[in-house]
């Protein structure tokens, strides 16, 4: 009887919440309300750069990703998923359409980085550059006590070139790839969950710090751990290609990564100094209900926002890793107080729908086909206001400096309009947030050149410079490249801000 009363009460509650929101549209504004009449500028010491990752641009090292790439080719697993941007588990889209040379050399960065950095300086007007060290390049074999000399020299060369071009290095220690040997099973565990993973990570981190620590002040220990977790342990689209039942089942891997972060944080402080800037970066989206009137969609959107964006950042403050709605919780020694800045990567809006067929696994829509909105080549809805919102929330929650370590879009259309729209509108959102008091310190566009976009292969084009893979990796500046340079040098003039009005930008749903 009691149960029935509860059920009726719940139904009444759900119905009234539903009724309350029924008439309300989803977020209808596209910007946070800055005025196109007034120029938006950035402080002199602001960092403008591009972001990259080793596996996506450098020639292949013996990493878990390289093993996956070779296997996908050998087994003909190169299909697309059901829609653009939805990867097919165990596959790398259209990898077979690219030559062995391209698959091996990626963007030929190893031979061209100096010219790429020259362009970043001259065309983009940049003063910084974000890249990652490849653990598998420095330690291609598990038994090595010292890093590989050629790899050591390679990164010295990269840092020398950055210095010549006056680009401040921002280094990442883990950007999705790790040595293939780490994924050999030991005592029934692989990768981050192996009992010796921490010791092996520490050997790598110590080597990087003793080699390059004196040259780099800005460090990101982990790139987007929640994407790695989701794609690698739940969806099976990134190595280790697992499909565990729920986020709690992947919790131990995340806890191990949090431990690895804590070690690196303190090691950097010791070697580089207290004035180093250390943090992680999180993949963020504006998570919104698919059906605004549906309380389940609203609830799920909020839960996903918490678990995907904030739980881990909270843990870096408190030392306690709790995953919302999963029951997973772990206290991690040395983790409390290990973020000097909040690292934000932002890629647009996702809509969350709870289907009664599988209520524990909500459907994620990357755009709304019925809405009048800009959508990139991977089907992702471009949504400037969500960027401003996430920056303000990050500041409200942590009261720390913020670096935008990635923001960009896949646009391979000749007119490059969506990337230009994204650049102007997102930089305006950022400048506006800064005016409101959010302490933003830098913006890194993803990415400098087209590159290997993980399970999407080479098809998704994120570069300010296009790469012609059929013509010796020739780089061509997209119209966005000089545009980014203009904004980095001069800020956003009213003329640039008003140019958004002439683009066929969506103004309503
Ligand atoms: C982010 C990744 C980055 C790149 C962009 C498009 O999630 O950190 O490597 O793939 O997406």
């Amino acid at each position: 009887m009691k149960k029935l009363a509860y059920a009726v009460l719940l139904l009444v509650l759900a119905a009234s919440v539903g009724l309350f929101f029924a008439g309300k549209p989803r977020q209808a504004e596209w910007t946070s309300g800055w005025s196109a009449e007034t120029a938006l500028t950035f402080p002199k010491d602001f960092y403008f750069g591009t972001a990259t990752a080793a596996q996506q641009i450098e020639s292949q090292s013996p990493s878990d990703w390289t093993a996956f790439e070779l296997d996908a080719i050998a087994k003909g697993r190169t299909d697309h998923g059901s829609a653009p941007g939805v990867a097919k588990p165990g596959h790398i889209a259209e990898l077979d359409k690219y030559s062995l040379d391209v698959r091996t050399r990626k963007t030929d960065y190893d031979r061209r980085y100096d010219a790429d950095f020259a362009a970043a300086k001259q065309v983009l007007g940049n003063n910084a550059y974000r890249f990652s060290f490849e653990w598998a390049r420095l330690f291609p074999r598990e038994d090595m006590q010292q890093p590989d000399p050629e790899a050591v020299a390679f990164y010295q060369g990269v840092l020398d070139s950055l210095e010549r071009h006056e680009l401040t290095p921002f280094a990442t220690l883990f950007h999705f790839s790790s040595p293939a040997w780490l994924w050999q099973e030991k005592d029934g565990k692989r990768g981050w969950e192996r009992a010796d993973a921490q010791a092996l990570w520490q050997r790598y981190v110590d080597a990087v710090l003793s080699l390059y620590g004196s040259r780099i002040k800005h460090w990101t220990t982990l790139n987007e751990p929640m994407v790695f977790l989701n794609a690698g342990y739940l969806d099976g689209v990134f190595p280790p290609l697992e499909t565990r039942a729920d986020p709690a089942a992947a919790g131990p891997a995340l806890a191990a990564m949090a431990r690895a972060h804590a070690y690196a944080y303190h090691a950097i402080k010791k070697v580089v100094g207290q004035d180093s800037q250390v943090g992680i970066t999180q993949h963020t989206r504006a998570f919104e209900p698919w059906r605004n009137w549906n309380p389940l969609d609203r609830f799920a959107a909020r839960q996903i926002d918490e678990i995907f964006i904030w739980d881990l950042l909270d843990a870096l403050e408190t030392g306690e890793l709790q995953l919302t709605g999963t029951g997973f919780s772990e206290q991690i020694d040395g983790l409390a107080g290990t973020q000097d800045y909040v690292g934000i990567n932002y890629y647009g809006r996702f809509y969350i729908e709870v289907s009664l067929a599988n209520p524990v696994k909500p459907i994620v829509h990357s755009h709304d086909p019925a809405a009048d909105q800009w959508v990139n080549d991977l089907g992702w809805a471009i949504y400037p206001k969500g960027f401003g919102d996430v920056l303000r929330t990050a500041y409200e929650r942590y009261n720390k400096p913020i670096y935008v370590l990635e923001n960009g879009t896949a646009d391979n259309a000749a007119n490059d309009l969506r990337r230009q729209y994204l650049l102007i509108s997102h930089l305006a959102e950022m400048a506006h947030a800064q005016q409101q008091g959010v302490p933003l310190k830098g913006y890194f566009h993803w990415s400098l050149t087209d590159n290997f976009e993980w399970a999407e292969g080479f098809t998704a084009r994120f570069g300010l410079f296009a790469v012609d893979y059929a013509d010796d990796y020739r780089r061509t500046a997209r119209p966005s490249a000089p545009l980014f340079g203009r904004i980095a040098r001069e800020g956003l003039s009213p003329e640039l801000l008003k140019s958004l009005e002439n683009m066929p930008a969506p103004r309503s749903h």
Side-chain angles (χ1 to χ4, degrees), residues 52-53 56 130 175-176 223-224 227 283 285 345 347 378 380 406 446 451-454 462:
T52 62
Q56 299 180 271
R130 176 174 175 230
H175 195 129
F176 297 165
N223 179 75
E224 300 184 350
V227 168
H283 189 108
R285 305 259 176 172
N345 297 356
Y347 283 102
L378 291 175
W380 301 353
E406 286 182 31
W446 185 274
N451 57 50
F452 172 73
E453 177 50 31
W454 312 113
F462 278 90

Side-chain angles (χ1 to χ4, degrees), residues 268-289:
I268 295 167
K269 289 285 151 188
K270 219 189 283 153
V271 178
V272 180
Q274 287 307 315
D275 63 338
S276 55
Q277 286 288 305
V278 192
I280 67 165
T281 194
Q282 281 288 71
H283 189 108
T284 68
R285 305 259 176 172
F287 292 107
E288 289 182 13

